[in-house]
Structures are given as C-alpha cells and as structure tokens.
C-alpha cells in the first residue's frame, strides 16, 4: 500500500514537473515580449501593454501554484516509509533538485521582466515629460540659462582678477624702477654732500678776496684823493 502510494506521488511529481516545464517556456516568451508577426517571424514588443501585464500576472500565479504543489508532494514523499531506501532517496533528491531549478528559473525570469518593465516605464515617463510638459522643459531651460549666466559671471570675474593681477605686476615693476632711480639719486646726493664742504670753502675764499680787493681799491682811491687835494691847496 505504501509502495503504491509512493508511486502515485512520484507520478504526480513527474506530471507537475512536465507541466511546470511547459509553463516556464511559455512564461519566458511572455516575459521577453516575444510575438510572431505576419510573416511568422519572432519579434520583441514593449512590455507596457495592459493585456501583457495581466497575462504575465496570471501565468506567474499559475506557476507559483504548481511549484507549491510540487513542493508539497516532495514533502509527502520524504515522509513515507519505503523499502528501497537508497533508490527512493536518490529519486526524492532528484525531484528536489528539479523543484529548485524550476523555482530559480521562474524567479530569475520574473525579476528580469520586472526590471525591463520598470525601465520601459521610466523611459515612457521621460518621453511624456519631454513631449507633454512644456512648463518642465521651460523650467529646465531657465535653469540652463541661469547656469550659463553664472558661468559667464564667473568667467568675467576671472578676467577681472587677471586684469588686476596684471596691473599689480606692472605697478610692482614700476615701483622697483622708481626704487632704483631713488637709489641712484641718493647716491648722487651723497656724493654732492661729501663734496659740499670743499665748495663752501672755495666760495668763502672767493668772497674774502673780493672784499680784500674792494678794500684795497677803496684805500688807493682815498689816498689818491688826499694827495690830489693837498696838491691843489698848496
């Protein structure tokens, strides 16, 4: 009785595995957006159609239900006492591996579908914003204008700073030139001041000789005048 029940469970597991395998193949095509055109060629269409979303949701629920049934049958098989323990354990392990592979494939396919759907939804929102929201576009243009004006202001400030630096460099060079000129003038003044006592002494001597000559001339004129008057009154 136990052997027959175990065999029935194993047949149910095989049937569920075949059904899950077929559903996974269809589910992968559905999630990938694969359809046939008029020429019978496979093409990929967007995933945002409401009908496709409902089909994916229904197919995923069906596969999840089949996976739960297969898991329950595997648990029942593991709890049943059987005679050929080695063969039964190998068979049960194989059914568990198949269940794990199907579950992994299902989750991977569903995750890829959701990621692609989110990407298409994001792109559609971007296109909608660009085509049907001129206020957003104008706001973006205003921000770009502000950025450009700010950039131009920064460039103008940079040019002004460069001009100020150039003026400062020229002023520094001019001050250095004036400093050299002042040093030369200071050297000349020092030379003149060192020679000034000699000049003063020379001028003093010249003035002294002029006063002496004037005194001598005056004295000679006075003597001559006295002699002339004396000669007249004799």
């Amino acid at each position: 009785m136990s052997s027959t029940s175990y065999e029935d469970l194993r047949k149910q597991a095989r049937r569920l595995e075949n059904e899950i395998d077929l559903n996974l193949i269809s589910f992968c095509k559905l999630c990938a957006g694969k359809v046939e055109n008029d020429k019978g060629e496979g093409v990929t269409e967007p995933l945002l159609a409401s009908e496709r979303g409902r089909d994916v949701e229904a197919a995923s629920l069906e596969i999840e239900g089949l996976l739960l049934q297969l898991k329950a049958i595997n648990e029942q098989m593991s709890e049943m006492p059987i005679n050929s323990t080695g063969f039964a354990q190998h068979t049960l392990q194989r059914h568990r591996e198949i269940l794990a592979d199907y579950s992994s494939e299902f989750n991977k396919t569903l995750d890829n579908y959701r990621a692609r759907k989110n990407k298409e939804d994001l792109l559609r929102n971007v296109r909608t914003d660009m085509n049907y929201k001129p206020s957003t576009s104008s706001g973006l243009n205003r921000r770009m204008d502000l950025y450009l004006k700010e950039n131009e202001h920064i460039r103008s400030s940079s040019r002004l700073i460069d001009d100020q630096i150039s003026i400062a460099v020229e002023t520094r060079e001019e001050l250095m030139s004036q400093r050299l000129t002042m040093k030369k003038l200071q050297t000349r003044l020092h030379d003149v001041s060192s020679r000034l006592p000699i000049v003063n002494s020379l001028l003093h001597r010249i003035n002294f000789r002029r006063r002496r000559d004037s005194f001598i001339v005056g004295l000679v004129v006075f003597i001559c005048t006295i002699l002339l008057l004396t000669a007249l009154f004799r």
Side-chain angles (χ1 to χ4, degrees), residues 7-203:
E7 187 66 23
D8 291 340
L9 291 175
R10 193 171 69 86
K11 289 180 180 180
Q12 292 180 24
R14 292 287 300 275
R15 179 181 58 80
L16 286 172
E17 289 170 358
N18 292 332
E19 188 174 357
I20 292 172
D21 185 64
L22 294 175
N23 286 342
L24 277 178
I25 294 174
S26 300
F27 185 71
C28 289
K29 292 181 179 180
L30 184 64
C31 290
K34 297 292 184 180
V35 295
E36 292 185 358
N37 56 13
D38 297 336
K39 298 180 181 180
E41 299 175 348
V43 295
T44 302
E45 66 177 10
L47 304 179
L48 296 178
S50 58
E51 296 81 3
R52 181 173 296 278
R54 287 194 294 268
D55 293 341
V56 171
E57 185 68 21
S60 63
L61 291 176
E62 182 179 0
I63 294 175
E64 286 177 352
L66 293 174
L67 291 173
L68 290 175
Q69 292 180 29
L70 182 58
K71 181 179 180 181
I73 290 176
N74 288 342
E75 291 177 353
Q76 292 179 19
M77 291 172 62
S78 64
E79 294 174 356
M80 293 189 65
I82 51 177
N83 295 327
S84 53
T85 305
F87 176 77
Q89 290 295 332
H90 176 74
T91 302
L92 180 60
Q93 182 64 28
R94 179 57 184 162
H95 285 302
R96 287 174 176 173
E97 291 176 355
I98 293 174
L99 174 62
D101 291 340
Y102 285 159
S103 298
S104 177
E105 183 67 22
F106 169 71
N107 292 327
K108 181 180 179 181
T109 302
L110 187 60
D111 290 340
N112 291 337
Y113 165 78
R114 289 172 178 171
R116 182 183 167 192
K117 185 175 181 296
N118 291 335
K119 181 179 179 181
E120 291 183 0
D121 186 59
L122 179 61
L123 292 175
R124 184 184 65 176
N125 291 335
V126 171
R127 294 191 186 98
T128 302
D129 292 339
M130 293 177 63
N131 295 330
Y132 300 103
K133 291 185 178 180
S135 60
T136 303
S137 178
S138 61
L140 179 60
N141 291 333
R142 286 195 297 270
R143 287 196 296 271
M144 290 299 296
D145 292 338
L146 291 176
Y147 292 152
L148 291 175
K149 290 181 180 179
E150 186 66 21
N151 186 29
E152 184 63 26
H153 178 69
I154 293 173
R155 293 178 61 184
S156 299
S157 300
S158 179
R159 288 194 296 267
L160 181 61
I161 292 173
D162 291 338
D163 294 339
Q164 294 298 325
I165 292 175
S166 299
I167 294 173
V169 171
E170 293 177 358
T171 304
R172 179 174 176 271
E173 293 178 352
E174 183 66 23
L175 290 175
M176 291 181 66
S177 177
Q178 293 180 4
R179 182 182 178 185
L180 293 176
T181 303
M182 292 298 294
K183 282 187 174 181
K184 292 179 180 179
L185 180 60
Q186 185 179 4
T187 302
R188 291 181 180 179
L189 290 175
H190 180 72
D191 294 340
V192 172
S193 63
S194 62
R195 296 176 183 177
L196 188 59
I198 300 175
V199 174
N200 289 334
S201 177
L202 180 60
L203 291 176

